[in-house]
Amino acid sequence: MGLSGTSPATAAPAGVTQADVPANVTAGVAVFDRTTGTFTERLNETMRFRSASVVKLLIALDYLRTRDPRTLSTADRTRLDSMLRSSDDNAASYYWSLGGRTAIINRAVEQLSLSDTANPPAGYEDYWGYVALSAADTVRIYRYILDTASAPVRDYVMGNLRQPTRCGTDGFDQQFGIPGSFERPWAVKQGWSGFGSSGGCTPKPPTTVPTLAAAQQSEQRAAAAVDLTKEALHTTGTVGAGDRTIVAVFTLHPDGTPYGKAYTDLGRLTRSLDVPGGVHPSGTWFGTWSSGVNVRPRPTTVDSAPLTTLPAGVEVLVSCQKLGQEVSIPPYTNSWWAYLPQYGGYITNIYISSPGNQLPGVPVCSS
């Protein structure tokens, strides 16, 4: 279905995809090339997933429906910026309540001609993350932003999505999927749910969002049409010059899946997609082990304060390696450090899952 003010999409035959979905992962995928007006990937594209933070796009659009971003108060701009860039849950809850909660979704479905989007199940109206979304409707949302919304709204929303912070305000590393799979330019709105406080960056701070434990007190409620319990990880946005291609990848993972494992599986799936205009970064992907692994600006722990930490067990891209400070983690000792271009720093090779101190096939850094 086309959107008001946009040309209809030419749908690829159902099931056309080269998506490599990892074992035991449930995925909904839609990749839309705005240049040709065609889908290059479609897999379970109308399947409904709980949206997690992807719904923040609709919450922001609803608030800006009757407002010009250029005249927002400082408080509003700060709150909206944080919601879009850092996936601020408290900001989302503020605007969810202000906009009438489920009324936001009712307006969005009508205004954006959404087919699969639905409000949270009865009894969950406070839980904006339980709004149902599909990959196909997410493409419609981005097409609306890019092709139909006013220029100030388009520029404000996309401008924020081009500047995501490394970590969300809840301490989760949000550079998975699109940011890990493609060189800039890209813009993203990510979503995650069900991983507790193991997001990799920092301890999870207090939040005013209703707790998942409270939401799951009734097994009957949890048996809704949209899965509310499995670990969910979603990457959505645009890739390429001029926002050429819209990418929407929704995933569910088996109960108990660690964040690093889901992060890695979503990355592998996203990298397998046909994304016109997308350029994969150079380097070699390796697994890691341990938790709280520090990424440092230089290959040493001396005067090299951590830039961030890695989600436990996550797969990382290594572009080069160099000799640095000798590190000892019994029974291992190693002087080689790997440079991770997408984190802008180094980790000791001790934490790379590879035999030997020096990584095979990885060049020595030139400087």
Side-chain angles (χ1 to χ4, degrees):
M1 179 190 306
L3 294 173
S4 175
T6 68
S7 59
T10 301
V16 169
T17 181
Q18 64 181 41
D20 183 8
V21 181
N24 301 316
V25 173
T26 300
V29 179
V31 178
F32 180 73
D33 182 354
R34 296 176 62 232
T35 297
T36 62
T38 59
F39 285 92
T40 60
E41 300 278 358
R42 296 174 67 214
L43 175 68
N44 300 325
E45 70 274 16
T46 62
M47 179 177 176
R48 290 174 168 177
F49 293 77
R50 74 182 187 276
S51 64
S53 290
V54 179
V55 75
K56 290 168 184 172
L57 291 171
L58 294 181
I59 294 173
L61 288 174
D62 187 76
Y63 188 70
L64 297 173
R65 181 172 52 91
T66 57
R67 295 170 177 86
D68 187 328
R70 296 169 296 186
T71 61
L72 291 174
S73 69
T74 299
D76 265 338
R77 180 173 290 274
T78 299
R79 194 179 286 117
L80 283 167
D81 285 356
S82 183
M83 185 176 74
L84 293 172
R85 297 183 191 186
S86 302
S87 209
D88 189 324
D89 290 345
N90 291 335
S93 294
Y94 172 84
Y95 289 113
W96 181 249
S97 177
L98 192 66
R101 301 187 301 173
T102 58
I104 292 173
I105 304 307
N106 295 337
R107 288 189 291 266
V109 167
E110 180 178 359
Q111 183 181 14
L112 278 65
S113 300
L114 303 179
S115 300
D116 311 311
T117 301
N119 275 306
Y124 291 143
E125 289 84 0
D126 286 336
Y127 295 78
W128 43 259
Y130 286 176
V131 167
L133 281 180
S134 69
D137 268 3
T138 302
V139 168
R140 293 183 179 101
I141 293 168
Y142 279 102
R143 293 189 73 196
Y144 175 85
I145 294 169
L146 293 165
D147 301 328
T148 304
S150 69
V153 168
R154 178 197 64 216
D155 294 345
Y156 176 72
V157 172
M158 295 306 297
N160 273 302
L161 302 188
R162 297 187 213 288
Q163 303 176 71
T165 55
R166 164 65 57 187
C167 303
T169 56
D170 62 357
F172 276 72
D173 183 319
Q174 59 171 347
Q175 300 300 294
F176 52 83
I178 292 169
S181 301
F182 302 101
E183 298 280 11
R184 289 184 183 272
W186 43 253
V188 293
K189 185 67 207 78
Q190 313 282 59
W192 55 91
S193 176
F195 296 97
S197 58
S198 57
C201 291
T202 58
K204 187 173 182 178
T207 177
T208 60
V209 178
T211 64
L212 184 61
Q216 293 176 340
Q217 288 177 353
S218 166
E219 293 183 3
Q220 183 176 3
R221 285 182 179 179
V226 174
D227 188 290
L228 304 180
T229 59
K230 288 183 179 178
E231 283 78 357
L233 198 64
H234 315 318
T235 186
T236 77
T238 64
V239 176
D243 298 300
R244 172 168 176 174
T245 300
I246 299 169
V247 178
V249 182
F250 287 73
T251 61
L252 289 175
H253 304 259
D255 290 337
T257 299
Y259 190 62
K261 166 66 171 167
Y263 192 118
T264 294
D265 283 347
L266 179 57
R268 291 177 178 177
L269 168 56
T270 306
R271 294 196 300 274
S272 75
L273 300 176
D274 178 8
V275 179
V279 177
H280 294 298
S282 60
T284 305
W285 291 91
F286 290 91
T288 63
W289 63 276
S290 192
S291 60
V293 175
N294 290 317
V295 181
R296 300 178 183 273
R298 295 182 300 283
T300 177
T301 63
V302 179
D303 297 326
S304 185
L307 300 170
T308 188
T309 60
L310 297 179
V314 75
E315 194 172 60
V316 294
L317 181 72
V318 178
S319 61
C320 64
Q321 59 189 326
K322 70 185 304 182
L323 285 169
Q325 176 191 359
E326 183 178 272
V327 176
S328 181
I329 311 273
Y332 308 109
T333 299
N334 201 333
S335 299
W336 285 93
W337 291 67
Y339 182 71
L340 313 182
Q342 290 166 312
Y343 288 83
Y346 295 84
I347 65 170
T348 169
N349 282 12
I350 282 178
Y351 293 119
I352 301 283
S353 300
S354 178
N357 285 355
Q358 193 171 357
L359 301 177
V362 175
V364 175
C365 301
S366 59
S367 61

